[in-house]
Amino acid sequence: MNTHTAPGRIRIIGGSLRNSRLNVPDLPGLRPTAERVRETLFNWLAPTIAGARCLDLCAGTGALGIEALSRGAVSVQFVERDARVAQALRDNLSRLKTVGGQVVAIDAGLFLQGAAQPFDLVFLDPPFTLALWTPLAQRLEQAGWLAPRAWIYVESQRGSAPALPVNWQPHREGAAGEASYALYRRLPPAQA
């Protein structure tokens, strides 16, 4: 089973934007996280999503971040390096009249070299072919991008095991099709 929806349109599955459709550009390497995986993830996050400040790093379609806004996140910073994909994301946010979403068209690594602001929840789902999990995770951890007990969602190619900071404690995990996904809870380094 493929864990990602084909380009075209994908559906927001919960919250105030439930059943809204996102237009998805048909571009190589763009793989929106499947509805089933998003539903599982947001069931895990249900007690903590309201009021959260989120970072959708390597946002792609922004399905994860828009789902977070739909379910009560106060803000989502979307970071997407492809200008066409970033514009499609802006168009979707505008069409859905969302509040709290901001899109930045920049490479994730360059974005993380900027002035850090701590986030409560980070979605880390870079293109599988680029193997960016470890450097992005290290930068998130070391440069002040994470709140003391932040949640971090990591989606990676099934069978791969990205090296992540030792104080990111696994909370829940699963696999579907070609992808493995896991939710981590950050412990302050002294507690790890």
Side-chain angles (χ1 to χ4, degrees):
M1 178 187 142
N2 185 354
T3 62
H4 292 88
T5 312
R9 291 172 70 81
I10 57 175
R11 180 175 71 100
I12 298 301
I13 54 176
S16 63
L17 299 173
R18 184 178 183 176
N19 291 325
S20 297
R21 302 285 175 170
L22 302 179
N23 296 320
V24 179
D26 186 6
L27 296 170
L30 190 61
R31 24 164 219 92
T33 300
E35 284 185 19
R36 181 174 73 125
V37 174
R38 281 186 282 125
E39 183 172 16
T40 298
L41 170 62
F42 283 94
N43 285 341
W44 295 343
L45 290 169
T48 61
I49 195 71
R53 294 184 64 246
C54 307
L55 174 61
D56 194 347
L57 203 55
C58 308
T61 63
L64 292 168
I66 293 172
E67 195 79 54
L69 287 171
S70 179
R71 293 168 184 255
V74 71
S75 66
V76 178
Q77 177 76 62
F78 297 90
V79 178
E80 172 53 47
R81 71 180 181 159
D82 187 299
R84 297 165 297 176
V85 177
Q87 187 56 53
L89 177 49
R90 283 186 196 98
D91 293 345
N92 280 322
L93 290 169
S94 176
R95 184 176 49 79
L96 296 173
K97 298 177 175 50
T98 59
V99 175
Q102 180 183 1
V103 180
V104 179
I106 189 173
D107 177 80
L110 291 175
F111 175 82
L112 293 178
Q113 290 177 20
Q117 51 185 319
F119 289 94
D120 305 308
L121 171 60
V122 175
F123 302 107
L124 182 57
D125 180 15
F128 287 177
T129 57
L130 300 181
L132 295 173
W133 297 275
T134 299
L136 293 177
Q138 292 300 329
R139 186 74 185 160
L140 284 165
E141 178 60 38
Q142 294 169 2
W145 290 97
L146 300 172
R149 296 193 46 82
W151 294 97
I152 306 102
Y153 170 76
V154 178
E155 188 170 323
S156 59
Q157 192 161 20
R158 196 173 199 160
S160 67
L164 300 173
V166 295
N167 60 315
W168 291 15
Q169 297 300 301
H171 179 68
R172 299 243 176 115
E173 59 187 27
E178 299 171 2
S180 294
Y181 55 94
L183 183 62
Y184 294 85
R185 185 71 187 264
R186 179 185 188 258
L187 299 178
Q191 295 180 18

